[in-house]
PDB file of all heavy atoms in Angstrom:
ATOM      1  N   GLN C 338     -25.618  40.495   2.057  1.00 98.00           N
ATOM      2  CA  GLN C 338     -24.570  39.501   2.276  1.00 98.00           C
ATOM      3  C   GLN C 338     -24.388  39.314   3.773  1.00 98.00           C
ATOM      4  O   GLN C 338     -24.606  40.238   4.558  1.00 98.00           O
ATOM      5  CB  GLN C 338     -23.254  39.990   1.648  1.00 98.00           C
ATOM      6  CG  GLN C 338     -22.124  38.968   1.613  1.00 98.00           C
ATOM      7  CD  GLN C 338     -20.861  39.530   0.981  1.00 98.00           C
ATOM      8  OE1 GLN C 338     -20.131  40.296   1.617  1.00 98.00           O
ATOM      9  NE2 GLN C 338     -20.603  39.184  -0.273  1.00 98.00           N
ATOM     10  N   PHE C 339     -24.030  38.111   4.184  1.00 98.00           N
ATOM     11  CA  PHE C 339     -23.705  37.903   5.598  1.00 98.00           C
ATOM     12  C   PHE C 339     -22.480  37.008   5.722  1.00 98.00           C
ATOM     13  O   PHE C 339     -22.151  36.237   4.821  1.00 98.00           O
ATOM     14  CB  PHE C 339     -24.896  37.330   6.376  1.00 98.00           C
ATOM     15  CG  PHE C 339     -25.246  35.894   6.056  1.00 98.00           C
ATOM     16  CD1 PHE C 339     -24.728  34.847   6.798  1.00 98.00           C
ATOM     17  CD2 PHE C 339     -26.130  35.592   5.010  1.00 98.00           C
ATOM     18  CE1 PHE C 339     -25.066  33.528   6.510  1.00 98.00           C
ATOM     19  CE2 PHE C 339     -26.472  34.278   4.715  1.00 98.00           C
ATOM     20  CZ  PHE C 339     -25.933  33.239   5.472  1.00 98.00           C
ATOM     21  N   THR C 340     -21.789  37.165   6.850  1.00 98.00           N
ATOM     22  CA  THR C 340     -20.566  36.410   7.133  1.00 98.00           C
ATOM     23  C   THR C 340     -20.760  35.635   8.425  1.00 98.00           C
ATOM     24  O   THR C 340     -21.252  36.193   9.420  1.00 98.00           O
ATOM     25  CB  THR C 340     -19.358  37.354   7.269  1.00 98.00           C
ATOM     26  OG1 THR C 340     -19.223  38.114   6.063  1.00 98.00           O
ATOM     27  CG2 THR C 340     -18.080  36.577   7.511  1.00 98.00           C
ATOM     28  N   THR C 341     -20.390  34.363   8.428  1.00 98.00           N
ATOM     29  CA  THR C 341     -20.528  33.533   9.625  1.00 98.00           C
ATOM     30  C   THR C 341     -19.294  33.664  10.509  1.00 98.00           C
ATOM     31  O   THR C 341     -18.256  34.180  10.090  1.00 98.00           O
ATOM     32  CB  THR C 341     -20.721  32.056   9.251  1.00 98.00           C
ATOM     33  OG1 THR C 341     -19.476  31.527   8.761  1.00 98.00           O
ATOM     34  CG2 THR C 341     -21.799  31.893   8.176  1.00 98.00           C
ATOM     35  N   LYS C 343     -17.226  31.453  11.372  1.00 97.00           N
ATOM     36  CA  LYS C 343     -16.086  30.695  10.859  1.00 97.00           C
ATOM     37  C   LYS C 343     -15.524  31.251   9.557  1.00 97.00           C
ATOM     38  O   LYS C 343     -14.557  30.721   9.018  1.00 97.00           O
ATOM     39  CB  LYS C 343     -16.468  29.227  10.685  1.00 97.00           C
ATOM     40  CG  LYS C 343     -16.707  28.515  12.013  1.00 97.00           C
ATOM     41  CD  LYS C 343     -16.701  27.001  11.852  1.00 97.00           C
ATOM     42  CE  LYS C 343     -16.768  26.331  13.217  1.00 97.00           C
ATOM     43  NZ  LYS C 343     -16.716  24.841  13.100  1.00 97.00           N
ATOM     44  N   GLY C 344     -16.172  32.306   9.023  1.00 98.00           N
ATOM     45  CA  GLY C 344     -15.608  32.963   7.858  1.00 98.00           C
ATOM     46  C   GLY C 344     -16.233  32.637   6.527  1.00 98.00           C
ATOM     47  O   GLY C 344     -15.673  32.988   5.478  1.00 98.00           O
ATOM     48  N   TYR C 345     -17.398  32.006   6.529  1.00 98.00           N
ATOM     49  CA  TYR C 345     -18.137  31.819   5.267  1.00 98.00           C
ATOM     50  C   TYR C 345     -18.837  33.133   4.925  1.00 98.00           C
ATOM     51  O   TYR C 345     -19.457  33.762   5.798  1.00 98.00           O
ATOM     52  CB  TYR C 345     -19.177  30.711   5.399  1.00 98.00           C
ATOM     53  CG  TYR C 345     -18.590  29.332   5.562  1.00 98.00           C
ATOM     54  CD1 TYR C 345     -18.492  28.743   6.822  1.00 98.00           C
ATOM     55  CD2 TYR C 345     -18.152  28.611   4.455  1.00 98.00           C
ATOM     56  CE1 TYR C 345     -17.952  27.474   6.971  1.00 98.00           C
ATOM     57  CE2 TYR C 345     -17.614  27.338   4.599  1.00 98.00           C
ATOM     58  CZ  TYR C 345     -17.517  26.771   5.859  1.00 98.00           C
ATOM     59  OH  TYR C 345     -16.985  25.515   6.001  1.00 98.00           O
ATOM     60  N   VAL C 346     -18.736  33.546   3.663  1.00 98.00           N
ATOM     61  CA  VAL C 346     -19.352  34.793   3.212  1.00 98.00           C
ATOM     62  C   VAL C 346     -20.407  34.444   2.166  1.00 98.00           C
ATOM     63  O   VAL C 346     -20.081  33.941   1.089  1.00 98.00           O
ATOM     64  CB  VAL C 346     -18.303  35.747   2.595  1.00 98.00           C
ATOM     65  CG1 VAL C 346     -18.965  37.052   2.153  1.00 98.00           C
ATOM     66  CG2 VAL C 346     -17.187  36.022   3.597  1.00 98.00           C
ATOM     67  N   PHE C 347     -21.669  34.708   2.490  1.00 98.00           N
ATOM     68  CA  PHE C 347     -22.778  34.310   1.607  1.00 98.00           C
ATOM     69  C   PHE C 347     -23.494  35.519   1.008  1.00 98.00           C
ATOM     70  O   PHE C 347     -23.974  36.391   1.740  1.00 98.00           O
ATOM     71  CB  PHE C 347     -23.809  33.484   2.384  1.00 98.00           C
ATOM     72  CG  PHE C 347     -23.316  32.129   2.808  1.00 98.00           C
ATOM     73  CD1 PHE C 347     -22.888  31.913   4.112  1.00 98.00           C
ATOM     74  CD2 PHE C 347     -23.277  31.074   1.908  1.00 98.00           C
ATOM     75  CE1 PHE C 347     -22.440  30.659   4.515  1.00 98.00           C
ATOM     76  CE2 PHE C 347     -22.828  29.816   2.297  1.00 98.00           C
ATOM     77  CZ  PHE C 347     -22.405  29.617   3.599  1.00 98.00           C
ATOM     78  N   ASP C 348     -23.552  35.560  -0.330  1.00 98.00           N
ATOM     79  CA  ASP C 348     -24.492  36.458  -1.004  1.00 98.00           C
ATOM     80  C   ASP C 348     -25.878  35.872  -0.823  1.00 98.00           C
ATOM     81  O   ASP C 348     -26.099  34.689  -1.105  1.00 98.00           O
ATOM     82  CB  ASP C 348     -24.166  36.562  -2.495  1.00 98.00           C
ATOM     83  CG  ASP C 348     -22.940  37.407  -2.776  1.00 98.00           C
ATOM     84  OD1 ASP C 348     -22.791  38.451  -2.118  1.00 98.00           O
ATOM     85  OD2 ASP C 348     -22.142  37.040  -3.662  1.00 98.00           O
ATOM     86  N   MET C 349     -26.829  36.689  -0.397  1.00 98.00           N
ATOM     87  CA  MET C 349     -28.151  36.156  -0.067  1.00 98.00           C
ATOM     88  C   MET C 349     -29.070  36.014  -1.277  1.00 98.00           C
ATOM     89  O   MET C 349     -30.049  35.278  -1.224  1.00 98.00           O
ATOM     90  CB  MET C 349     -28.828  37.029   0.990  1.00 98.00           C
ATOM     91  CG  MET C 349     -28.140  37.000   2.334  1.00 98.00           C
ATOM     92  SD  MET C 349     -29.075  37.853   3.615  1.00 98.00           S
ATOM     93  CE  MET C 349     -30.479  36.742   3.831  1.00 98.00           C
ATOM     94  N   TYR C 513     -18.220  37.100 -12.471  1.00 98.00           N
ATOM     95  CA  TYR C 513     -18.301  37.041 -11.004  1.00 98.00           C
ATOM     96  C   TYR C 513     -17.427  38.151 -10.426  1.00 98.00           C
ATOM     97  O   TYR C 513     -16.246  38.259 -10.770  1.00 98.00           O
ATOM     98  CB  TYR C 513     -17.816  35.684 -10.495  1.00 98.00           C
ATOM     99  CG  TYR C 513     -17.688  35.612  -8.985  1.00 98.00           C
ATOM    100  CD1 TYR C 513     -18.814  35.414  -8.190  1.00 98.00           C
ATOM    101  CD2 TYR C 513     -16.447  35.757  -8.375  1.00 98.00           C
ATOM    102  CE1 TYR C 513     -18.701  35.368  -6.803  1.00 98.00           C
ATOM    103  CE2 TYR C 513     -16.326  35.704  -6.987  1.00 98.00           C
ATOM    104  CZ  TYR C 513     -17.456  35.517  -6.212  1.00 98.00           C
ATOM    105  OH  TYR C 513     -17.339  35.478  -4.834  1.00 98.00           O
ATOM    106  N   GLY C 516     -15.060  38.715  -4.267  1.00 98.00           N
ATOM    107  CA  GLY C 516     -15.593  39.185  -2.993  1.00 98.00           C
ATOM    108  C   GLY C 516     -17.086  38.961  -2.893  1.00 98.00           C
ATOM    109  O   GLY C 516     -17.674  39.132  -1.823  1.00 98.00           O
ATOM    110  N   GLY C 517     -17.702  38.569  -4.024  1.00 98.00           N
ATOM    111  CA  GLY C 517     -19.128  38.274  -4.028  1.00 98.00           C
ATOM    112  C   GLY C 517     -19.946  39.336  -4.735  1.00 98.00           C
ATOM    113  O   GLY C 517     -19.479  40.459  -4.987  1.00 98.00           O
ATOM    114  N   TYR C 519     -22.129  41.069  -3.673  1.00 98.00           N
ATOM    115  CA  TYR C 519     -22.351  42.221  -2.800  1.00 98.00           C
ATOM    116  C   TYR C 519     -21.392  43.371  -3.115  1.00 98.00           C
ATOM    117  O   TYR C 519     -21.659  44.516  -2.761  1.00 98.00           O
ATOM    118  CB  TYR C 519     -22.202  41.795  -1.341  1.00 98.00           C
ATOM    119  CG  TYR C 519     -22.725  42.809  -0.354  1.00 98.00           C
ATOM    120  CD1 TYR C 519     -24.071  43.169  -0.345  1.00 98.00           C
ATOM    121  CD2 TYR C 519     -21.881  43.409   0.574  1.00 98.00           C
ATOM    122  CE1 TYR C 519     -24.561  44.096   0.557  1.00 98.00           C
ATOM    123  CE2 TYR C 519     -22.362  44.338   1.484  1.00 98.00           C
ATOM    124  CZ  TYR C 519     -23.706  44.684   1.469  1.00 98.00           C
ATOM    125  OH  TYR C 519     -24.189  45.610   2.362  1.00 98.00           O
ATOM    126  N   GLN C 520     -20.288  43.068  -3.795  1.00 98.00           N
ATOM    127  CA  GLN C 520     -19.370  44.142  -4.174  1.00 98.00           C
ATOM    128  C   GLN C 520     -20.066  45.156  -5.095  1.00 98.00           C
ATOM    129  O   GLN C 520     -19.754  46.344  -5.071  1.00 98.00           O
ATOM    130  CB  GLN C 520     -18.134  43.562  -4.859  1.00 98.00           C
ATOM    131  CG  GLN C 520     -17.300  42.653  -3.960  1.00 98.00           C
ATOM    132  CD  GLN C 520     -16.905  43.329  -2.655  1.00 98.00           C
ATOM    133  OE1 GLN C 520     -16.376  44.438  -2.660  1.00 98.00           O
ATOM    134  NE2 GLN C 520     -17.174  42.662  -1.540  1.00 98.00           N
ATOM    135  N   TYR C 605     -28.018  28.188   2.422  1.00 99.00           N
ATOM    136  CA  TYR C 605     -26.645  28.672   2.492  1.00 99.00           C
ATOM    137  C   TYR C 605     -25.869  27.639   3.303  1.00 99.00           C
ATOM    138  O   TYR C 605     -26.142  27.437   4.491  1.00 99.00           O
ATOM    139  CB  TYR C 605     -26.585  30.033   3.183  1.00 99.00           C
ATOM    140  CG  TYR C 605     -27.575  31.041   2.626  1.00 99.00           C
ATOM    141  CD1 TYR C 605     -28.780  31.316   3.267  1.00 99.00           C
ATOM    142  CD2 TYR C 605     -27.308  31.721   1.431  1.00 99.00           C
ATOM    143  CE1 TYR C 605     -29.683  32.227   2.766  1.00 99.00           C
ATOM    144  CE2 TYR C 605     -28.211  32.635   0.910  1.00 99.00           C
ATOM    145  CZ  TYR C 605     -29.395  32.893   1.582  1.00 99.00           C
ATOM    146  OH  TYR C 605     -30.304  33.796   1.078  1.00 99.00           O
ATOM    147  N   PRO C 650     -19.272  29.621  -5.163  1.00 98.00           N
ATOM    148  CA  PRO C 650     -18.328  30.701  -5.481  1.00 98.00           C
ATOM    149  C   PRO C 650     -16.915  30.453  -4.975  1.00 98.00           C
ATOM    150  O   PRO C 650     -15.960  31.044  -5.482  1.00 98.00           O
ATOM    151  CB  PRO C 650     -18.961  31.925  -4.814  1.00 98.00           C
ATOM    152  CG  PRO C 650     -19.824  31.374  -3.726  1.00 98.00           C
ATOM    153  CD  PRO C 650     -20.339  30.074  -4.245  1.00 98.00           C
ATOM    154  N   ASP C 654     -13.350  32.006  -5.820  1.00 98.00           N
ATOM    155  CA  ASP C 654     -12.983  33.063  -4.871  1.00 98.00           C
ATOM    156  C   ASP C 654     -12.695  32.450  -3.497  1.00 98.00           C
ATOM    157  O   ASP C 654     -13.610  32.056  -2.780  1.00 98.00           O
ATOM    158  CB  ASP C 654     -14.148  34.059  -4.798  1.00 98.00           C
ATOM    159  CG  ASP C 654     -13.868  35.273  -3.947  1.00 98.00           C
ATOM    160  OD1 ASP C 654     -12.807  35.327  -3.306  1.00 98.00           O
ATOM    161  OD2 ASP C 654     -14.715  36.182  -3.926  1.00 98.00           O
ATOM    162  N   SER C 656     -11.848  33.860  -0.876  1.00 98.00           N
ATOM    163  CA  SER C 656     -12.179  34.731   0.256  1.00 98.00           C
ATOM    164  C   SER C 656     -13.555  34.445   0.851  1.00 98.00           C
ATOM    165  O   SER C 656     -13.877  34.966   1.920  1.00 98.00           O
ATOM    166  CB  SER C 656     -12.116  36.203  -0.171  1.00 98.00           C
ATOM    167  OG  SER C 656     -13.220  36.555  -0.994  1.00 98.00           O
ATOM    168  N   VAL C 657     -14.385  33.630   0.172  1.00 98.00           N
ATOM    169  CA  VAL C 657     -15.761  33.439   0.642  1.00 98.00           C
ATOM    170  C   VAL C 657     -15.929  32.176   1.484  1.00 98.00           C
ATOM    171  O   VAL C 657     -17.045  31.826   1.884  1.00 98.00           O
ATOM    172  CB  VAL C 657     -16.768  33.432  -0.532  1.00 98.00           C
ATOM    173  CG1 VAL C 657     -16.731  34.757  -1.269  1.00 98.00           C
ATOM    174  CG2 VAL C 657     -16.512  32.274  -1.481  1.00 98.00           C
ATOM    175  N   ALA C 658     -14.835  31.472   1.770  1.00 98.00           N
ATOM    176  CA  ALA C 658     -14.895  30.274   2.611  1.00 98.00           C
ATOM    177  C   ALA C 658     -13.557  30.101   3.312  1.00 98.00           C
ATOM    178  O   ALA C 658     -12.518  30.527   2.797  1.00 98.00           O
ATOM    179  CB  ALA C 658     -15.210  29.037   1.774  1.00 98.00           C
ATOM    180  N   PRO C 659     -13.547  29.469   4.492  1.00 98.00           N
ATOM    181  CA  PRO C 659     -12.277  29.177   5.152  1.00 98.00           C
ATOM    182  C   PRO C 659     -11.407  28.260   4.284  1.00 98.00           C
ATOM    183  O   PRO C 659     -11.897  27.628   3.355  1.00 98.00           O
ATOM    184  CB  PRO C 659     -12.701  28.469   6.441  1.00 98.00           C
ATOM    185  CG  PRO C 659     -14.121  28.855   6.645  1.00 98.00           C
ATOM    186  CD  PRO C 659     -14.699  29.023   5.279  1.00 98.00           C
ATOM    187  N   ASN C 664     -18.142  26.900  -0.028  1.00 98.00           N
ATOM    188  CA  ASN C 664     -19.333  27.732   0.164  1.00 98.00           C
ATOM    189  C   ASN C 664     -20.333  27.351  -0.929  1.00 98.00           C
ATOM    190  O   ASN C 664     -20.032  27.465  -2.111  1.00 98.00           O
ATOM    191  CB  ASN C 664     -18.904  29.204   0.048  1.00 98.00           C
ATOM    192  CG  ASN C 664     -20.057  30.192  -0.015  1.00 98.00           C
ATOM    193  OD1 ASN C 664     -21.092  29.935  -0.608  1.00 98.00           O
ATOM    194  ND2 ASN C 664     -19.849  31.370   0.565  1.00 98.00           N
ATOM    195  N   ILE C 665     -21.515  26.871  -0.540  1.00 98.00           N
ATOM    196  CA  ILE C 665     -22.508  26.461  -1.536  1.00 98.00           C
ATOM    197  C   ILE C 665     -23.863  27.108  -1.240  1.00 98.00           C
ATOM    198  O   ILE C 665     -24.344  27.105  -0.096  1.00 98.00           O
ATOM    199  CB  ILE C 665     -22.655  24.929  -1.597  1.00 98.00           C
ATOM    200  CG1 ILE C 665     -21.356  24.310  -2.117  1.00 98.00           C
ATOM    201  CG2 ILE C 665     -23.822  24.518  -2.498  1.00 98.00           C
ATOM    202  CD1 ILE C 665     -21.397  22.811  -2.299  1.00 98.00           C
TER     203      ILE C 665
END
Side-chain angles (χ1 to χ4, degrees):
Q338 189 180 77
F339 71 93
T340 302
T341 72
K343 292 196 173 182
Y345 292 99
V346 181
F347 292 101
D348 285 319
M349 294 188 70
Y513 172 80
Y519 194 62
Q520 297 306 309
Y605 310 100
D654 185 354
S656 73
V657 299
N664 170 323
I665 294 183

